């Protein structure tokens, strides 16, 4: 991995940015133990593409991703802690390259000396599915973040908020900037076992019209152009949920913004 990164300042910047975000996730209390994962499509930052993949160990993907053939990703490692990723990104994440058929991935971090048992995140199917969707729709997002944002997870423990309509009405109503920055609202994925193809499928569907989706009783998946932008989306939504719980826990029912106020904010957002 070293030779890919040395002298590649854009790639180094992205890795440092991911490390900074990993620190925020940990500081927020959203990243207990090995919770959460991050991936970045770095293909555009790889200067000289590797021609011989043979020296690098490869592993079969659960399904082929032909649209991702030849793409490179910086991806957090399975079982790795966000707080460690923050301090030592190269020891807690990997660079992988999808092979030319899209059916296997090569780990390009052999020279880090800890290849055995060091694999990408358990949520790799969801991450790759999302990166494929982004490529297919020719959109500009490069970063996928999954985290266990407390207040947002807490909302999905409340049955009446387990649908997009009530969730978004609540989140938009708690702070004007939520509508300004996230006018399309959040998607909602009813509970599915983490790490499965089924949750990947449900997440992709929910992301068709959103940049952020909530996984019931589990966490958040968000996509953005940079790690900072992606984190901001989760942060804004987390703020709204926090305000709701703060008002509630002090014994008051929050009023929320009115339909008219939200309409004005939506127009503002469209002209932003
Ligand atoms: O990476 O958060 O959902 C650990 C998880 C799995
Ligand atoms: Zn998780």
């Amino acid at each position: 991995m070293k030779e890919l990164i040395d002298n590649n300042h854009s790639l180094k910047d992205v890795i440092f940015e991911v490390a900074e975000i990993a620190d925020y996730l940990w500081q927020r209390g959203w990243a207990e133990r090995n919770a959460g994962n991050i991936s970045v499509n770095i293909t555009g930052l790889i200067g000289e593409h590797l021609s011989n993949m043979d020296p690098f160990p490869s592993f079969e993907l659960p399904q082929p991703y032909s649209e991702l053939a030849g793409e490179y990703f910086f991806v957090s490692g399975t079982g790795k802690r966000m707080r460690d990723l923050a301090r030592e990104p190269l020891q807690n994440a990997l660079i992988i390259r999808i092979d030319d058929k899209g059916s296997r991935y090569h780990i390009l971090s052999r020279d880090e000396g800890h290849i055995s048992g060091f694999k990408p995140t358990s949520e790799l199917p969801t991450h790759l599915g999302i990166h494929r969707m982004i490529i297919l729709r020719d959109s500009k997002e490069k970063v996928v973040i999954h985290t266990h944002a407390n207040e947002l997870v807490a909302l999905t423990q409340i049955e009446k908020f387990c649908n997009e309509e009530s969730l978004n009405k609540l989140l938009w109503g708690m702070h004007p900037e939520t509508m300004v920055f996230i006018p399309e609202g959040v998607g909602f994925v009813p509970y599915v076992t983490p790490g499965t193809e089924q949750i990947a499928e449900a997440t992709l569907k929910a992301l068709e019209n959103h940049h952020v989706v909530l996984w019931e009783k589990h966490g958040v998946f968000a996509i953005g152009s940079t790690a900072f932008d992606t984190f901001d989306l989760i942060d804004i939504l987390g703020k709204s949920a926090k305000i709701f719980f703060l008002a509630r826990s002090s014994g008051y029912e929050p009023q929320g913004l009115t339909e008219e106020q939200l309409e004005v904010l939506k127009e503002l957002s469209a002209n932003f």
Side-chain angles (χ1 to χ4, degrees), residues 32 34-37 76-80 82 121-123 146-148 194-195 215 218 221:
E32 71 286 354
N34 63 317
N37 27 77
S76 54
T78 188
K80 300 293 181 187
M82 282 296 155
T121 166
S122 58
E123 304 291 1
H146 167 59
T147 191
H148 299 174
W215 279 5
H218 181 151
F221 252 91

Side-chain angles (χ1 to χ4, degrees), residues 17-22 24-25 30-31 35-40 76 82 85 121 123 126-127 130-131 134 141-149 203 207 211-213 215 219-235:
E17 195 176 314
V18 167
E20 188 170 336
I21 294 305
Y24 297 169
L25 301 181
W30 297 349
N37 27 77
I38 304 182
S39 65
V40 186
S76 54
M82 282 296 155
L85 181 59
T121 166
E123 304 291 1
T126 303
H127 282 259
I130 294 173
H131 286 294
I134 292 168
E141 292 86 7
K142 298 277 180 236
V143 180
V144 178
I145 296 180
H146 167 59
T147 191
H148 299 174
T203 308
L207 276 173
H211 289 91
V212 186
V213 301
W215 279 5
V220 185
F221 252 91
I223 58 174
S225 305
T226 68
F228 290 132
D229 289 344
T230 314
F231 172 81
D232 287 343
L233 296 175
I234 307 169
D235 200 26

Side-chain angles (χ1 to χ4, degrees), residues 42-140:
I42 54 166
T43 315
L45 304 177
I46 302 292
E48 205 171 310
H49 290 253
L50 298 164
S51 48
N52 183 12
M53 285 292 134
D54 293 343
F56 302 103
S58 76
F59 301 89
E60 182 144 9
L61 288 162
Q63 54 151 288
Y65 295 84
S66 55
E67 300 84 355
L68 295 182
E71 299 281 314
Y72 293 74
F73 297 94
F74 182 67
V75 54
S76 54
T78 188
K80 300 293 181 187
R81 293 169 168 82
M82 282 296 155
R83 59 184 191 262
D84 294 334
L85 181 59
R87 286 182 299 110
E88 292 187 302
L90 298 183
Q91 311 298 320
N92 294 280
L94 327 95
I95 291 181
I96 61 169
R97 181 189 180 273
I98 311 298
D99 76 356
D100 294 335
K101 291 200 185 81
S103 57
R104 302 178 75 79
Y105 66 89
H106 287 266
I107 295 182
L108 311 181
S109 32
R110 195 186 169 87
D111 54 357
E112 296 302 318
H114 53 187
I115 202 72
S116 68
F118 188 29
K119 294 267 197 76
T121 166
S122 58
E123 304 291 1
L124 191 65
T126 303
H127 282 259
L128 292 183
I130 294 173
H131 286 294
R132 171 169 62 190
M133 178 191 76
I134 292 168
I135 286 178
L136 283 174
R137 67 185 186 200
D138 199 19
S139 81
K140 61 184 188 325

